[in-house]
Amino acid sequence: EEWGDVIRGRTSVILLGDSLGDLHMADGLPEREVMLSIGFLNDKVAEREQEFVERFDIVIEGDAPMSYATSYIAPILGQEQ
């Protein structure tokens, strides 16, 4: 199955990234209507925090476990955490 076939018709995106450039990963998705972005800020926290907070919807700082991200996503998917 081709990637385009997998995403065709999907209008929502959950984007996970650890750099500001990752915010562009969903660029070009023709049917995107809603995007939730979660940024992982692992290094240079004090230096980069403000920019991450301004650009990502949710910012997780430090070397946090993935459970922090899934705690935000589970209710959206109708799952209990």
Side-chain angles (χ1 to χ4, degrees), residues 2-79:
E2 295 292 322
W3 175 246
D5 295 334
V6 172
I7 63 170
R8 183 170 287 114
R10 296 187 184 193
T11 59
S12 302
V13 174
I14 298 173
L15 186 145
L16 306 170
D18 64 358
S19 74
L20 296 174
D22 289 340
L23 288 165
H24 298 287
M25 289 189 291
D27 291 355
L29 294 177
E31 300 174 30
R32 180 183 76 182
E33 294 176 7
V34 177
M35 182 172 82
L36 172 67
S37 60
I38 301 175
F40 294 90
L41 181 53
N42 301 316
D43 61 344
K44 301 179 185 174
V45 174
E47 179 183 321
R48 300 167 63 204
E49 181 179 41
Q50 185 62 37
E51 195 168 19
F52 264 64
V53 168
E54 290 172 1
R55 306 273 307 273
F56 284 96
D57 297 313
I58 298 167
V59 176
I60 299 172
E61 296 181 354
D63 191 21
M66 193 64 172
S67 60
Y68 285 111
T70 58
S71 70
Y72 290 103
I73 296 169
I76 294 169
L77 299 176
Q79 302 171 353

